[in-house]
Amino acid sequence: MNNPVLVQAINSSSVDRLVSFVKDSFEISCEMNGDYTLSFTAYNDGSPAYANLTAESTIKFENTEYVIKQVSPVDSKGMETVSVSATHIFSDTARVYQRNVKKGDHNYSPQDILDFYFKDNKFGYSYEVIGNFSKMKATDLGNGSGKDALSKILELWPTCVIYPDGRKIQVYEHDKFFKNYGHRIDYLNTASEVNFEFDSTEIVNQVRAVGPTYEKTIKTGDSSKLDGTTTAVKGDWGPAIRYAAKLMGINISDSDVNRVKELIQHESGGSETVVNNSDSNAAAGHPSKGLVQFIQSTFDHYAVKPYTNILKGFHQLLALFNDATWSSDIKLGGWGPTGARRRDAIIPQPNASSGTDGAKKVIADAKKYIGVPYVWGGHNKSNPRAGMDCSGFVSQVYHDFGIEIPAYTVAMEKYGKTVSKPQTGDMLFYGRHGASYHVALALDEKTMIFEPQPGQSCRVEPISYFPPSWYARNDKMAAIVAGKGGGDDSGSDNTDATTETTTTENYFDPFIVQDDASIKKWGLHPGGDVTSDSIKNANDMKKWVMTQLKPEPTLSVKVTATDNIKPIMGDMIRLEVRPRVYVANMGVVAYEYYPFSKINPTTITLNQTEKSILDYEKSRNRSAQMAVQNAKNHANDISSGQETWTDEEVGQFGSGL
């Protein structure tokens, strides 16, 4: 055995050679930026090496260290065996921990992050950066492990490759990782099987970029309160049109009101929620919606925060009047906004009571639970940070102020009376009365805090982000918010004296990012929102989101070698599959290697790159051309007994190739 398997117990300097393992079970598997493991089955031969096959012991093989993480004893047919699974020593970077935090936003390179986490670590890890990397912004770096640091590097530079050389962490610029060592794989010569998987199901070439939010404090007089008509009155949108114009600083005439009413009738018939799925906009993937039939991107441009629900008619009216040329843009038979965006906020209106001392106390109490995970059925009042669901959270905040309400949405309903507009401490219900299915807590009339769903945590959002079905106010909570002994639960909109209110704002509006070349080639493949909690600049966000798209189909090539050759990660291998007329240089990105087996061959996964996909397409075209040529030869061979093709028929068959 040229390469011995050595075992060293934790906290021991003794190293023993292991010989009692099943040779065909001894496997090393590696995946680029993924797992790097060793596994095998061993039997008890009474040796010290076997006895030391325990968790956290070290296995040394081919100058590489692996740490045992799992040991599963199995007794079968009178023989004691263990199944061992170990990870490369590189995976133990989780033991390096940086408790300090670099507060705020800073630009970092991979070297900066490695220095911060690994410099002078006591576990013997060194590091090196190979290639050129532009600096990226990160927020509050620290209070995490070395493994977290490497995950952050992959998040900020998703095309990089992190690959270890023993305890040395190497971060490669993608193209620097792959090298040509002069190796070749020839199907039916050095490979018994080559599997191609060309898959377009995961193409994503258009997403919406959503950045972080921040809390904005506005003094009394600068905040807004909608106390006018915001819906149609017996089918008449006239009062809402006048109120929207007032809020946008426009003196509107009776004739202009009538023109807008005619526009509404022509575009939607007065419906706030109608969607046109039959015109050219719909065919292009962005149908016109709502009262005056905005498409989403145009509405997003003109909408005034926080009135950003395209299916709310009043929100569309505000957006209409935010078009600097709205009057001339309304034409007979339709309209199209062309003017500049006029303003970012409506004309200041009197503020609600969310600035009182009582309101501030409720807001502060609710916000202390930000980050607590959603746990279905969670409402342990003595340990709320163990997790809460939506109703458990609202019940907990009320409990903190001595108000006991059930931790179940439907049961909560009778503890409040319906009001027209929310204020601090109100319950925001989703679903009809008697059958509500979700609840949030109002921080003010524009902002809410809630437990979203499993896998997420308590957070703050504008109420317009997820508009509730109805609002309910509790007498006792209203009294606390008002800072007095009793509460007014009449449903009226009081305007107590206030000092300030807090709202949640975006650093930049969400926007669409797309790969035009991919869309032209493969058609539109939209994906979900791509979010960042640290990128606060729209241009930086666009650059980063572009790296998250998947503009090309995946091409996975898995090769089964004729023997158990040892692969090299990053090896640029020349792959030749003559029956497919396929020749390409592709890099090794994963493998399964059985160094002691005579029956388990090595399997190698080769990389998917744009060039390899082009090579694959060229191969298919060459194969098709050969098929056409064979068809022509066959057509001219009258001895076949088949009808001879004409030149015209042969030309038609071969057209387009």
Side-chain angles (χ1 to χ4, degrees):
M1 191 181 299
N2 295 328
N3 294 307
V5 179
L6 305 176
V7 180
Q8 181 176 357
I10 187 172
N11 299 323
S12 173
S13 60
S14 176
V15 178
D16 300 291
R17 181 169 180 170
L18 179 70
V19 296
S20 59
F21 60 88
V22 180
K23 291 181 172 57
D24 290 331
S25 72
F26 197 96
E27 176 191 359
I28 298 174
S29 63
C30 185
E31 181 180 358
M32 188 175 76
N33 291 340
D35 294 334
Y36 192 166
T37 64
L38 180 151
S39 60
F40 59 86
T41 298
Y43 54 88
N44 189 355
D45 63 348
S47 66
Y50 179 86
N52 287 333
L53 292 176
T54 59
E56 295 303 304
S57 290
T58 301
I59 297 173
K60 298 180 180 179
F61 178 68
E62 292 185 335
N63 298 318
T64 302
E65 293 179 79
Y66 303 86
V67 179
I68 297 177
K69 294 299 179 182
Q70 294 179 337
V71 181
S72 303
V74 178
D75 295 329
S76 178
K77 298 180 181 180
M79 180 175 291
E80 177 188 328
T81 66
V82 290
S83 176
V84 177
S85 178
T87 60
H88 192 284
I89 190 69
F90 160 73
S91 300
D92 254 20
T93 51
R95 299 175 67 185
V96 176
Y97 208 91
Q98 174 57 268
R99 300 192 183 280
N100 296 322
V101 177
K102 288 189 174 181
K103 290 287 187 180
D105 298 334
H106 299 283
N107 291 319
Y108 298 95
S109 67
Q111 184 74 36
D112 296 331
I113 295 175
L114 292 170
D115 285 342
F116 183 54
Y117 279 84
F118 288 97
K119 190 173 184 180
D120 300 325
N121 72 87
K122 61 182 179 181
F123 296 98
Y125 289 106
S126 60
Y127 48 89
E128 180 183 10
V129 176
I130 300 99
N132 297 314
F133 293 87
S134 58
K135 290 200 172 188
M136 296 293 289
K137 187 173 293 182
T139 303
D140 295 343
L141 189 69
N143 193 27
S145 69
K147 193 171 184 179
D148 295 330
L150 301 182
S151 296
K152 176 60 70 173
I153 289 173
L154 285 172
E155 174 191 334
L156 297 177
W157 298 275
T159 61
C160 78
V161 178
I162 301 178
Y163 187 72
D165 179 8
R167 289 178 182 256
K168 184 177 184 180
I169 302 164
Q170 299 175 125
V171 179
Y172 290 86
E173 186 181 359
H174 186 273
D175 293 342
K176 297 288 185 182
F177 179 67
F178 295 95
K179 298 178 182 179
N180 191 335
Y181 296 96
H183 295 146
R184 186 180 75 169
I185 293 179
D186 185 358
Y187 174 59
L188 296 180
N189 182 12
T190 57
S192 60
E193 188 174 305
V194 179
N195 292 322
F196 288 83
E197 291 186 7
F198 193 74
D199 186 358
S200 64
T201 59
E202 294 188 2
I203 293 177
V204 176
N205 49 29
Q206 183 191 77
V207 297
R208 187 173 68 160
V210 181
T213 59
Y214 66 96
E215 292 185 355
K216 181 178 180 181
T217 300
I218 307 173
K219 293 182 179 180
T220 300
D222 293 332
S223 57
S224 63
K225 181 175 188 287
L226 299 185
D227 56 1
T229 303
T230 60
T231 59
V233 179
K234 296 182 180 180
D236 181 14
W237 280 97
I241 293 169
R242 294 182 185 278
Y243 185 44
K246 175 184 175 182
L247 294 177
M248 296 305 294
I250 292 173
N251 294 320
I252 192 167
S253 66
D254 290 343
S255 62
D256 281 336
V257 171
N258 289 331
R259 290 175 63 216
V260 176
K261 289 168 67 173
E262 290 171 359
L263 171 68
I264 291 172
Q265 187 60 37
H266 177 270
E267 295 290 351
S268 67
S271 171
E272 296 180 90
T273 59
V274 65
V275 177
N276 187 340
N277 289 312
S278 60
D279 64 2
S280 58
N281 285 328
H286 42 74
S288 304
K289 301 177 182 179
L291 195 66
V292 295
Q293 292 288 282
F294 274 103
I295 65 172
Q296 188 69 54
S297 58
T298 305
F299 176 74
D300 290 343
H301 175 70
Y302 289 103
V304 180
K305 293 179 183 179
Y307 313 108
T308 55
N309 186 341
I310 195 171
L311 298 182
K312 292 286 188 182
F314 191 72
H315 296 196
Q316 287 216 5
L317 290 174
L318 292 173
L320 181 149
F321 291 126
N322 208 21
D323 170 18
T325 56
W326 68 270
S327 182
S328 60
D329 286 337
I330 298 177
K331 298 179 174 64
L332 184 65
W335 87 300
T338 62
R341 176 183 170 91
R342 294 180 56 247
R343 54 190 310 123
D344 294 326
I346 62 175
I347 297 295
Q349 301 294 304
N351 192 26
S353 60
S354 60
T356 65
D357 289 340
K360 292 177 183 178
K361 290 177 182 178
V362 174
I363 292 170
D365 183 80
K367 285 185 176 181
K368 75 184 182 183
Y369 297 115
I370 290 175
V372 172
Y374 180 102
V375 174
W376 188 84
H379 47 81
N380 185 345
K381 297 296 190 294
S382 62
N383 186 22
R385 294 193 175 277
M388 297 179 280
D389 60 13
C390 63
S391 55
F393 165 67
V394 175
S395 176
Q396 178 68 43
V397 175
Y398 273 59
H399 170 80
D400 292 345
F401 289 90
I403 306 171
E404 301 303 331
I405 62 174
Y408 175 56
T409 54
V410 174
M412 277 181 170
E413 293 181 11
K414 66 180 182 180
Y415 287 82
K417 296 179 181 179
T418 303
V419 293
S420 60
K421 295 181 179 67
Q423 69 175 27
T424 304
D426 286 353
M427 296 174 283
L428 313 180
F429 286 100
Y430 297 81
R432 60 184 176 83
H433 292 263
S436 56
Y437 59 87
H438 185 62
V439 67
L441 183 78
L443 291 179
D444 55 41
E445 66 180 48
K446 298 187 293 183
T447 316
M448 62 183 177
I449 183 170
F450 60 105
E451 285 280 4
Q453 60 185 4
Q456 298 183 357
S457 301
C458 181
R459 70 172 188 254
V460 174
E461 294 284 0
I463 290 177
S464 59
Y465 166 83
F466 183 25
S469 305
W470 53 285
Y471 318 123
R473 185 165 301 154
N474 176 276
D475 282 332
K476 294 180 180 178
M477 179 58 77
I480 292 170
V481 169
K484 53 189 177 181
D488 176 9
D489 206 21
S490 63
S492 62
D493 294 307
N494 300 317
T495 54
D496 298 335
T498 62
T499 55
E500 61 183 31
T501 185
T502 302
T503 61
T504 300
E505 302 285 341
N506 295 315
Y507 281 95
F508 53 82
D509 291 335
F511 60 94
I512 297 297
V513 177
Q514 64 185 35
D515 188 313
D516 293 330
S518 174
I519 293 174
K520 182 177 180 180
K521 185 176 182 181
W522 303 108
L524 180 64
H525 291 265
D529 291 351
V530 176
T531 62
S532 171
D533 293 330
S534 59
I535 302 177
K536 300 175 182 177
N537 178 274
N539 289 331
D540 292 342
M541 184 69 174
K542 181 178 181 180
K543 292 177 183 177
W544 178 72
V545 171
M546 285 295 291
T547 68
Q548 306 300 302
L549 299 179
K550 297 180 179 178
E552 297 289 338
T554 58
L555 174 61
S556 176
V557 181
K558 194 167 186 176
V559 177
T560 302
T562 54
D563 55 26
N564 59 350
I565 59 173
K566 181 181 179 180
I568 302 173
M569 285 291 287
D571 186 4
M572 287 297 293
I573 292 176
R574 177 180 172 86
L575 175 65
E576 298 181 5
V577 186
R578 297 180 186 180
R580 287 185 176 271
V581 201
Y582 183 85
V583 178
N585 292 318
M586 304 181 73
V588 176
V589 296
Y591 63 76
E592 297 171 2
Y593 166 48
Y594 299 85
F596 299 104
S597 179
K598 294 183 179 179
I599 61 172
N600 293 325
T602 297
T603 58
I604 301 171
T605 301
L606 301 173
N607 75 311
Q608 176 251 316
T609 63
E610 185 174 358
K611 184 178 185 305
S612 64
I613 290 175
L614 293 174
D615 289 335
Y616 179 80
E617 293 173 343
K618 290 176 182 177
S619 165
R620 289 176 59 84
N621 286 337
R622 286 195 294 266
S623 297
Q625 290 169 350
M626 291 176 63
V628 171
Q629 187 59 50
N630 290 336
K632 289 181 178 180
N633 295 338
H634 182 68
N636 294 324
D637 182 4
I638 59 174
S639 65
S640 65
Q642 302 295 321
E643 180 181 357
T644 303
W645 289 12
T646 66
D647 289 340
E648 181 181 1
E649 289 171 329
V650 172
Q652 290 175 346
F653 181 84
S655 63
L657 298 174

